[in-house]
Amino acid sequence: MGIQDISQDYISDGTYVIASEGFQTGAIAKYNLATGNITNVCLKNGCRHLTTSFEHTMDNNCPIPPNSTLFFIHNQKIYYKYEISHFDEQELDEFESTKLLKRNIFASYNLTTGERQNILEVEKNDYEQLYTFKLVGDYIYYFRYIAQVEKPFTADDYKLCLCRMKVDEYRQEILFDLSNAFPDYPQRTLPMLLAVDNGNAYFVCNLTGSVFYCSLSGENGKYLINAEKEGFWGIYDAYGTFYSNGYIYFAKYVQEPQKALYLYRMDTNTGEKVVLTDDYVRWFFVADDAIYYEMSQAMQPSEAQQNEAGAVGTYRYTIKQMKLDGTDSHIIGHIDAPNAETARPWGVGNKFFIQMRWRTPTIMGHYDVIFDVTNGSVIEVGKSEEME
């Protein structure tokens, strides 16, 4: 079915899901989708995977440090962002300064050779950072604040720019300044690059609830949803936001009851928004030819739908599938997980990689399940726990 992801929680090469254990605080690991086996990604002998102290050179530490942000895999390379802390050596020598500096680094790690390549580095401050790397075709697209003067001092000295570089060449090309394309867009509010298609870049923003697009030259900018002006709030990527073949799929809070979510599809040509199902959803995922979602246990519009979702407190989570236009909705399986709740999934091939969070009166923890959409089977992997 070709599930494709926009999340940065997990990435995959089709055989493995690559993720960081322990809510992105542990070593990067490979989860085998066929068997559930877990192995460490790092090929470096003697690597201290769980260290939290990184030297400036990183020579003696893990090539993919804990808390790295994973973006995608291409040609057996993981692309990710990590951060190191260091001191300004000149200031340290001259003034005995102990001011700690931080550096953002976009890098790749070769799964075959174990080599890391630092591609792009910036000295992190309140403005200069690297954001939202996304591979589309032969190009890597990303946002960064770029100084407009030789010695930047204030926020006004920086502009948020969409940039790209050709994969394997890594030469930065600045496409446009967002404030020129959208003059009324709130300053220092970071959108997410949702998709690049047919010469246009599409963006969503959790903070503003807006959806907008423009050409790759920054021209012909248009809002599909200008949340503040329209009073249409609720574009939350935490529940899933996807682009596919000219449509944007997103979840939005139902006005009453407020904790419920509706699943929408929006035509990027006309801006028309359609609710795809009267089920209340907890999360959803869009594949090439189908939509998958979990029914909310907390509430449903009708008694029949409530029974279908499973009574609150039973710890049975119902997963449904439907076509991209909202038709042919049907149950494909359940996840039974006592004392647990599901978190947002990641999909690849015919399987979902879903984190389960569980607790007892004295212990809490998490584990992952691999859910096969073809037969509803569930494999549990990677359980951990800690005292409350």
Side-chain angles (χ1 to χ4, degrees):
M1 75 182 175
I3 293 176
Q4 297 180 3
D5 180 59
I6 62 169
S7 161
Q8 295 173 4
D9 298 331
Y10 311 113
I11 55 179
S12 179
D13 62 0
T15 301
Y16 294 94
V17 164
I18 312 295
S20 178
E21 300 172 298
F23 298 104
Q24 298 292 320
T25 60
I28 308 299
K30 293 193 295 187
Y31 293 73
N32 189 305
L33 283 165
T35 66
N37 291 337
I38 304 173
T39 56
N40 209 296
V41 165
C42 182
L43 302 179
K44 184 177 179 180
N45 292 329
C47 180
R48 293 178 288 154
H49 302 288
L50 299 181
T51 182
T52 57
S53 175
F54 303 116
E55 299 172 2
H56 175 63
T57 60
M58 296 285 290
D59 285 342
N60 298 315
N61 295 283
C62 187
I64 308 180
N67 296 311
S68 296
T69 302
L70 309 177
F71 292 111
F72 55 87
I73 296 178
H74 178 70
N75 286 344
Q76 287 297 300
K77 293 180 181 179
I78 298 176
Y79 287 81
Y80 61 102
K81 183 179 72 174
Y82 69 96
E83 185 175 290
I84 60 172
S85 300
H86 64 100
F87 296 104
D88 186 304
E89 296 178 3
Q90 183 175 349
E91 284 194 10
L92 195 61
D93 289 340
E94 294 182 9
F95 308 109
E96 297 184 354
S97 168
T98 57
K99 181 181 179 181
L100 194 63
L101 304 175
K102 293 184 177 180
R103 180 172 296 158
N104 269 178
I105 303 173
F106 175 61
S108 68
Y109 174 78
N110 193 308
L111 289 166
T112 303
T113 66
E115 296 178 352
R116 181 186 68 223
Q117 179 181 2
N118 289 344
I119 298 169
L120 187 62
E121 301 185 31
V122 300
E123 205 69 47
K124 182 180 176 181
N125 55 37
D126 290 340
Y127 320 112
E128 177 67 298
Q129 296 185 49
L130 302 172
Y131 305 97
T132 64
F133 289 83
K134 186 177 185 66
L135 178 65
V136 182
D138 294 330
Y139 286 92
I140 302 170
Y141 293 83
Y142 56 99
F143 273 119
R144 67 178 294 188
Y145 281 98
I146 297 179
Q148 305 298 301
V149 297
E150 185 176 350
K151 294 183 179 180
F153 183 71
T154 69
D156 293 334
D157 295 330
Y158 292 84
K159 297 293 185 181
L160 181 62
C161 298
L162 182 68
C163 306
R164 72 178 181 182
M165 58 176 69
K166 199 162 187 179
V167 69
D168 296 328
E169 293 182 7
Y170 310 134
R171 290 193 296 269
Q172 178 172 275
E173 176 187 357
I174 300 174
L175 294 174
F176 62 85
D177 164 16
L178 193 69
S179 63
N180 286 337
F182 296 90
D184 59 341
Y185 187 78
Q187 291 187 7
R188 290 176 289 283
T189 301
L190 181 70
M192 181 188 75
L193 176 63
L194 179 63
V196 176
D197 185 37
N198 198 28
N200 289 323
Y202 295 85
F203 311 94
V204 297
C205 184
N206 287 337
L207 187 61
T208 65
S210 296
V211 182
F212 48 101
Y213 72 93
C214 64
S215 69
L216 289 179
S217 60
E219 299 176 340
N220 305 317
K222 181 179 179 180
Y223 278 92
L224 292 168
I225 297 176
N226 192 326
E228 185 173 4
K229 291 184 178 180
E230 298 177 31
F232 188 88
W233 302 98
I235 308 299
Y236 297 107
D237 186 53
Y239 304 107
T241 307
F242 300 85
Y243 176 92
S244 179
N245 296 322
Y247 291 93
I248 294 175
Y249 300 79
F250 63 93
K252 181 183 181 298
Y253 278 125
V254 178
Q255 187 171 359
E256 188 64 38
Q258 292 184 354
K259 291 185 178 180
L261 292 170
Y262 267 151
L263 198 164
Y264 279 79
R265 182 171 87 161
M266 178 169 57
D267 189 321
T268 59
N269 291 314
T270 66
E272 180 186 17
K273 299 178 283 290
V274 177
V275 178
L276 291 178
T277 174
D278 61 354
D279 287 342
Y280 293 153
V281 308
R282 190 172 183 276
W283 55 256
F284 77 100
F285 203 101
V286 177
D288 289 341
D289 55 1
I291 301 172
Y292 301 86
Y293 63 94
E294 176 192 326
M295 297 185 74
S296 170
Q297 273 194 323
M299 55 196 69
Q300 289 295 339
S302 71
E303 183 177 352
Q305 287 166 308
Q306 177 64 72
N307 293 334
E308 195 176 37
V312 177
T314 61
Y315 306 110
R316 164 161 278 204
Y317 303 98
T318 299
I319 313 299
K320 297 184 76 173
Q321 174 184 339
M322 64 182 176
K323 294 180 180 178
L324 292 177
D325 61 2
T327 60
D328 191 26
S329 176
H330 59 278
I331 294 173
I332 57 171
H334 304 276
I335 299 175
D336 294 310
N339 301 315
E341 64 176 10
T342 62
R344 178 181 168 182
W346 194 96
V348 61
N350 292 316
K351 297 175 181 176
F352 283 116
F353 190 82
I354 304 172
Q355 191 168 84
M356 309 298 296
R357 298 168 182 167
W358 62 277
R359 67 174 60 241
T360 69
T362 57
I363 302 175
M364 63 180 293
H366 79 279
Y367 60 94
D368 298 298
V369 299
I370 298 174
F371 180 88
D372 192 320
V373 303
T374 62
N375 56 24
S377 64
V378 177
I379 300 174
E380 295 184 7
V381 294
K383 191 166 186 176
S384 69
E385 62 183 50
E386 59 186 58
M387 299 299 292
E388 284 265 59

